[in-house]
Amino acid sequence: MRFAKIFCATRIQIPRCVLIFAAFCGMILLKRGVIVIKFRLKVLLAMNDMNQKQLAEQTGISIGALLGILVSIVGVALVISVLWNVFLIAPIGVGIDRFFVLNANGKPGFGELPYAFKKGRYLKSVGALFLSGLFIVLWSFLLVIPGIIKLYEYRMVSYILADDSDLSVMECLRRSKEMMRGHKWNAFVLDLSFIGWHLLAGVTCGVLGIFYVYPYVQATDAELYLALKNEM
């Protein structure tokens, strides 16, 4: 595969002065943030003992009980977030990927977005994306690097679901591994080429990201999928 062709065709050069300015601003903000954090830690440590006693006396709630309540709230919020992403956001993502795959050779309509919710594709999409995410998380528990490798190994699962609805869940995972074999590093380098664009999207509070950067990245990933597919 001519991976370099994809990289050159989709990469837009960022002026060096813009990158230097962004790095300089980041260093200043980081230094300022460290100073503020140190000051706040000193204040919190100084007031910690007094606050614990006052809280217990005024409310009758111990620090341990309060922490337990907070942990429970965070746990419930985390579970809701996972369910929201698995059962709604992920299937919508399959439709978005299908839109960009078809857009590479034509003009698809927005009716492609709910693609994963039609004709029995929903459970397959949820199952494949959930399993790939679960494998990535489990490998990440070992070390960070294995998790990153699995992240790129299953990178094409969503595009496979969007392009071929006849494959089973495990076949989608297996095909993604085959497609990414020998191309994980190249895909990683391709992602690095978008760092400048993501920084600019952040500077514009996401406005540039919505109207240019994110569609640009999606279109690039769709081209990558099609190139890898043609190699098989």
Side-chain angles (χ1 to χ4, degrees):
M1 185 200 61
R2 298 181 179 179
F3 204 103
K5 184 177 180 181
I6 299 174
F7 181 84
C8 295
T10 57
R11 183 182 181 185
I12 296 180
Q13 297 290 339
I14 306 296
R16 184 173 298 178
C17 61
V18 175
L19 296 178
I20 294 174
F21 177 74
F24 178 72
C25 293
M27 291 175 63
I28 293 176
L29 292 174
L30 179 61
K31 184 177 180 180
R32 182 178 178 183
V34 171
I35 294 173
V36 172
I37 290 173
K38 287 182 177 179
F39 175 76
R40 290 182 177 178
L41 283 175
K42 290 180 180 178
V43 175
L44 289 174
L45 289 174
M47 299 178 62
N48 185 43
D49 293 335
M50 181 179 65
N51 288 339
Q52 289 186 22
K53 294 178 180 179
Q54 290 179 349
L55 181 63
E57 292 175 356
Q58 295 176 4
T59 64
I61 301 176
S62 65
I63 297 298
L66 183 60
L67 288 176
I69 295 173
L70 291 176
V71 170
S72 300
I73 294 174
V74 172
V76 172
L78 181 61
V79 171
I80 293 175
S81 176
V82 170
L83 295 176
W84 174 267
N85 281 278
V86 169
F87 291 102
L88 182 63
I89 302 301
I92 292 176
V94 173
I96 293 174
D97 292 340
R98 179 173 176 80
F99 177 89
F100 280 97
V101 168
L102 297 178
N103 185 65
N105 299 311
K107 295 182 178 181
F110 288 102
E112 300 295 340
L113 297 181
Y115 173 81
F117 296 91
K118 300 177 181 178
K119 299 180 181 178
R121 304 186 188 105
Y122 178 72
L123 291 180
K124 183 187 299 183
S125 299
V126 169
L129 295 172
F130 174 77
L131 282 179
S132 61
L134 179 62
F135 292 152
I136 292 169
V137 171
L138 292 178
W139 278 95
S140 298
F141 285 152
L142 298 178
L143 285 172
V144 176
I145 300 301
I148 295 176
I149 293 175
K150 287 298 176 180
L151 176 66
Y152 281 92
E153 196 169 78
Y154 295 122
R155 180 177 179 135
M156 294 299 153
V157 170
S158 180
Y159 289 95
I160 295 170
L161 289 168
D163 192 37
D164 192 345
S165 60
D166 295 329
L167 296 177
S168 66
V169 169
M170 298 309 298
E171 286 174 339
C172 290
L173 300 181
R174 185 164 50 251
R175 177 169 294 186
S176 179
K177 293 173 64 175
E178 293 174 355
M179 293 177 72
M180 293 301 296
R181 185 175 293 117
H183 300 296
K184 299 182 190 68
W185 175 254
N186 290 329
F188 177 71
V189 173
L190 181 63
D191 288 340
L192 290 180
S193 70
F194 292 108
I195 289 179
W197 286 110
H198 288 300
L199 290 175
L200 290 176
V203 169
T204 59
C205 299
V207 174
L208 183 64
I210 294 174
F211 292 101
Y212 184 76
V213 178
Y214 303 146
Y216 177 34
V217 173
Q218 287 286 144
T220 302
D221 286 343
E223 292 290 347
L224 173 60
Y225 166 74
L226 292 173
L228 292 174
K229 179 183 176 181
N230 292 333
E231 275 201 343
M232 295 188 67

